[in-house]
Amino acid sequence: MEYLIRFSQSHETFRLPETKAIAEVGGIDMKVIYYNPESPYCVVRLPSEEAAHFLMSRSILAQSIHEHWGTGENYEVLHEEVKRKTSHLWPKYKNSSFKFSLDLYQGTRPNKRRVELINSFSYMPFEGEINLRTADEHFVIFEQWDFQAVTRNLPDPLKIHLGRVVGASQRKLIHTFDLKKRDYISTTSMDSELALVTANIALAGPGKLFYDPFVGTGSFPIACAHFGALAWGSDIDGRSIRGDGAKKSLKGNFQQYGLSHLMGEVFVSDLTNSPFRKKRILDGIVCDPPYGVREGLKVLGVRDVEKYDYVIEKGKVMYKDEDFVPPKKPYSFVVMLDDILQFATDRLVDNGRLSFWMPTANDADQEIGVPTHPCLEVVVVCVQVFDKWSRRLITYRRRPDSEVDAAALERWQQRTETNGGVTADELNPFRRHYFNAFRTQAAVDGATLEAVPN
Amino acid sequence: MKVLSLNFLSCAVKGCKSSSDSYPLHPKDAELVQDDIEVNAQLLINLLPRIDWTALTTTATELGFPALPPQAPTPEELEADEAKLKDLHHLLMETQIMEGKLVCASCGHEYAVREGIANFLLPSHLV
Ligand SMILES: C[S@@+](CC[C@H](N)C(=O)[O-])C[C@H]1O[C@@H](n2cnc3c(N)ncnc32)[C@H](O)[C@@H]1O
Ligand SMILES: [Zn+2]
């Protein structure tokens, strides 16, 4: 059977990847029949209505799903298709209470015309009562109008669909997890909508182990835990995990949402010196790594070993002190990306996913490519566009070793070794050039919760 | 820090990664608390094959738990035996080290655990 998904018209490049990921979590064989980023309507083939319900049980970017009763360029074509395709279904709803409504995308209709359009379906032999509040069945006429149809005074929509409502999505979770209502956040907390979408795309689910190595205030682990995963996190900054040690802390956030039972481990560590065993035990890694716009990117160590010899000596003696702060040194963003890919390669189970965020300037010549690793296949790249910059959510799948190109792997290892690899201490010019483009923007947004590269 | 986590973490010092002595870390002066968490059978059954049973046995003994059987149960056995499931859940998920240290037997470095949060940051001579 075909189903029509009514998406929210935002985060367009994330919508289909999210839906496909949910289908994968549910083991659902879904085929996309019609999709256009400019339209909120998408038609898919699903094995059952149960599958449609499953999609909605996790979807953030859909609004609702409908049994697809027909599509046409005009009402004549639509009515013909509805009659041809669904007359066998009519008897099923003969005695149900029902209602019809209109969903006009980028268009308007006067009330009188709305009633006429609804009445044009009166050939369906429905004898139940019309109930606008609690109808058993709800039919929706979807009109897709062209851009600025109202101001351009266009006479007709581009396309019309008819659907029978099957279920609503989980968009309400955006409010449940709203940062404004969360006890503990920081300027780089990921907004609830995109944190949930990220968890979906990374296939978070019950019985799985997920990890965020740049956990901050925990937006991603909380989203993963909501979908049932045991969620781990760590951060180089212990203060961000501890917060005030009570309500305003990472643990407090899990408590606020009743998710404490799915809080795995949270610990303090530097990704480049991680205590995580090199063992393939993670189902997913989701994160928003630091990019050093606000503060330079730092890892453990001292920049100049000879000059800061005394610092090193002091550390040997002092490290057990409760307030000892280990020295940090600047680090290259590009090398950190390699580190993340290698970390994921060594820890993800077969087909486990890595999803991470990465900022980009909107200028093509400053574009930095999608980082690659022979053991990781790029599943999808989603883009969120702001005024002067964008950020991408890049998602990979850990290839089973049998799928990995051995020669490519060897080249990768050689390259990361020769440029210093995971221990490199090069400060590359990239950060200066790359981020200058939106540094001013970041300064403007710096005090607000709006997303800026961090 | 959960007992489960000790099974997934080793010494953070790079030079220690290849030494078998760097895993598992050894709890020292550990203050334990028991959380009350609902049993999550699906999670335990999925995690079971990822757990290093020998290391878990060491950790359990060091924390004063009764000796574990020499062999890990199979997922099927675990699924069929509620008591076993509960015991394992209690050890892995409910038992937390709140205060104490974790010691690497290879390099001797001590990691502090405070208010349940382990700190793996290394002083400069170890990075
Ligand atoms: C963009 S923030 C992540 C925010 C997080 N997603 C949230 O919702 O709060 C990046 C985090 O990475 C941490 N970080 C920076 N350098 C790190 C390193 N070398 N290893 C681990 N974490 C690091 C920072 O302390 C910061 O909390
Ligand atoms: Zn060690």
Side-chain angles (χ1 to χ4, degrees):
Chain A
M1 184 74 204
E2 286 180 10
Y3 292 84
L4 181 137
I5 300 173
R6 201 304 182 192
F7 281 121
S8 100
Q9 195 58 20
S10 61
H11 301 312
E12 287 84 349
T13 61
F14 294 73
R15 301 184 304 187
L16 212 47
E18 187 198 42
T19 307
K20 285 182 176 166
I22 301 171
E24 185 157 342
V25 169
I28 294 166
D29 180 18
M30 178 179 87
K31 187 165 182 288
V32 179
I33 311 279
Y34 164 82
Y35 177 71
N36 172 350
E38 250 126 68
S39 152
Y41 308 123
C42 166
V43 179
V44 296
R45 182 168 303 133
L46 294 172
S48 64
E49 190 159 314
E50 197 193 340
H53 282 296
F54 185 83
L55 292 184
M56 289 305 106
S57 74
R58 297 181 46 130
S59 181
I60 305 300
L61 297 178
Q63 291 179 352
S64 50
I65 198 161
H66 314 259
E67 198 173 66
H68 182 220
W69 279 35
T71 292
E73 281 67 57
N74 55 50
Y75 274 89
E76 209 174 300
V77 178
L78 174 66
H79 286 310
E80 228 168 77
E81 182 168 311
V82 168
K83 285 175 191 160
R84 186 159 38 82
K85 277 183 145 173
T86 68
S87 53
H88 67 287
L89 294 172
W90 299 348
K92 211 167 144 186
Y93 305 108
K94 187 168 174 240
N95 297 312
S96 314
S97 63
F98 70 99
K99 69 172 171 184
F100 271 74
S101 64
L102 275 142
D103 176 289
L104 306 177
Y105 177 64
Q106 302 186 143
T108 55
R109 295 281 201 186
N111 271 344
K112 185 163 160 282
R113 183 71 187 132
R114 286 171 174 257
V115 175
E116 283 168 13
L117 291 172
I118 289 172
N119 284 338
S120 72
F121 290 89
S122 59
Y123 52 84
M124 295 187 201
F126 295 163
E127 290 167 16
E129 81 170 308
I130 298 176
N131 185 327
L132 294 185
R133 287 196 308 129
T134 58
D136 298 334
E137 302 300 338
H138 179 184
F139 296 86
V140 185
I141 305 159
F142 300 95
E143 290 191 351
Q144 182 189 333
W145 290 73
D146 203 359
F147 184 59
Q148 291 184 329
V150 180
T151 42
R152 288 158 68 200
N153 233 332
L154 299 179
D156 293 303
L158 295 170
K159 244 186 181 118
I160 312 141
H161 314 271
L162 180 70
R164 182 183 64 82
V165 174
V166 170
S169 77
Q170 299 295 314
R171 276 192 83 67
K172 58 178 189 287
L173 292 177
I174 298 172
H175 305 289
T176 311
F177 291 99
D178 191 349
L179 292 181
K180 292 197 195 84
K181 294 185 281 182
R182 188 172 302 173
D183 287 331
Y184 178 57
I185 56 169
S186 76
T187 50
T188 59
S189 299
M190 181 62 68
D191 70 75
S192 61
E193 180 171 19
L194 288 174
L196 289 157
V197 170
T198 306
N200 258 334
I201 292 179
L203 313 179
K208 293 185 180 179
L209 194 57
F210 268 67
Y211 177 50
D212 178 351
F214 305 100
V215 73
T217 59
S219 311
F220 292 122
I222 282 167
C224 293
H226 167 77
F227 290 121
L230 184 72
W232 283 42
S234 63
D235 200 287
I236 198 169
D237 181 1
R239 292 165 306 176
S240 77
I241 291 174
R242 292 173 191 274
D244 72 353
K247 235 172 103 177
K248 291 189 191 313
S249 66
L250 188 45
K251 193 171 165 197
N253 281 346
F254 274 88
Q255 279 163 350
Q256 180 181 355
Y257 299 117
L259 292 170
S260 301
H261 58 295
L262 290 169
M263 182 170 122
E265 199 58 41
V266 293
F267 55 97
V268 185
S269 96
D270 167 14
L271 179 89
T272 67
N273 291 277
S274 173
F276 219 107
R277 281 191 88 196
K278 262 195 198 169
K279 200 175 171 198
R280 310 250 324 258
I281 50 178
L282 287 170
D283 294 285
I285 299 174
V286 283
C287 58
D288 182 16
Y291 292 101
V293 167
R294 291 222 181 88
E295 295 170 45
L297 174 55
K298 297 268 174 66
V299 299
L300 291 174
V302 291
R303 192 196 303 213
D304 184 335
V305 176
E306 266 151 40
K307 189 165 159 206
Y308 293 104
D309 183 42
Y310 70 96
V311 175
I312 300 176
E313 286 306 314
K314 199 171 139 215
K316 284 186 191 168
V317 193
M318 304 288 284
Y319 89 88
K320 287 185 191 171
D321 271 24
E322 202 160 314
D323 28 86
F324 174 74
V325 182
K328 299 191 189 72
K329 63 179 181 183
Y331 197 63
S332 148
F333 164 78
V334 179
V335 180
M336 180 62 101
L337 289 176
D338 281 348
D339 293 345
I340 295 170
L341 297 190
Q342 188 59 47
F343 180 91
T345 294
D346 292 336
R347 308 302 187 291
L348 286 174
V349 300
D350 282 357
N351 301 310
R353 287 192 175 185
L354 162 67
S355 286
F356 69 84
W357 287 86
M358 187 173 134
T360 330
N362 283 349
D363 237 336
D365 57 311
Q366 298 191 359
E367 170 87 11
I368 164 181
V370 171
T372 59
H373 188 293
C375 300
L376 299 170
E377 177 187 54
V378 176
V379 176
V380 64
V381 179
C382 308
V383 188
Q384 182 187 22
V385 182
F386 297 98
D387 232 15
K388 293 209 173 74
W389 64 289
S390 311
R391 58 179 174 180
R392 292 180 275 183
L393 176 67
I394 308 178
T395 301
Y396 305 81
R397 170 184 79 94
R398 173 62 160 99
R399 296 179 202 269
D401 285 338
S402 59
E403 284 178 29
V404 175
D405 177 343
L409 183 57
E410 189 151 320
R411 280 197 302 279
W412 201 89
Q413 280 159 350
Q414 265 164 14
R415 177 176 73 73
T416 51
E417 265 157 35
T418 50
N419 80 8
V422 286
T423 58
D425 180 27
E426 105 217 54
L427 237 196
N428 69 63
F430 161 79
R431 188 180 141 234
R432 271 196 314 278
H433 294 303
Y434 187 62
F435 287 105
N436 270 344
F438 41 72
R439 179 162 278 158
T440 34
Q441 179 71 20
V444 171
D445 292 346
T448 76
L449 274 180
E450 241 170 71
V452 298
N454 44 77
Chain B
M1 153 163 279
K2 291 183 196 292
V3 171
L4 172 73
S5 315
L6 267 177
N7 208 261
F8 290 167
L9 302 174
S10 68
C11 182
V13 176
K14 287 200 182 88
C16 278
K17 289 285 182 194
S18 55
S19 155
S20 59
D21 286 342
S22 70
Y23 171 82
L25 295 169
H26 304 285
K28 188 177 143 190
D29 307 329
E31 285 173 30
L32 301 186
V33 296
Q34 308 294 341
D35 290 342
D36 192 7
I37 303 170
E38 212 181 305
V39 178
N40 185 336
Q42 185 186 14
L43 179 65
L44 279 178
I45 288 160
N46 283 353
L47 289 181
L48 188 62
R50 307 180 199 184
I51 285 169
D52 183 316
W53 195 258
T54 313
L56 182 63
T57 307
T58 306
T59 305
T61 310
E62 288 176 356
L63 291 176
F65 279 80
L68 296 180
Q71 291 287 320
T74 64
E76 295 74 29
E77 280 167 0
L78 203 56
E79 203 163 8
D81 188 337
E82 203 174 318
K84 234 182 220 154
L85 198 68
K86 261 198 153 140
D87 282 351
L88 197 59
H89 169 78
H90 179 67
L91 175 65
L92 291 174
M93 312 297 282
E94 293 189 320
T95 307
Q96 288 245 30
I97 302 178
M98 284 309 276
E99 300 289 328
K101 303 198 169 57
L102 305 170
V103 186
C104 170
S106 165
C107 69
H109 190 71
E110 291 186 359
Y111 299 95
V113 183
R114 283 190 210 107
E115 290 167 355
I117 297 170
N119 183 344
F120 289 95
L121 298 187
L122 297 170
S124 305
H125 69 288
L126 294 178
V127 300

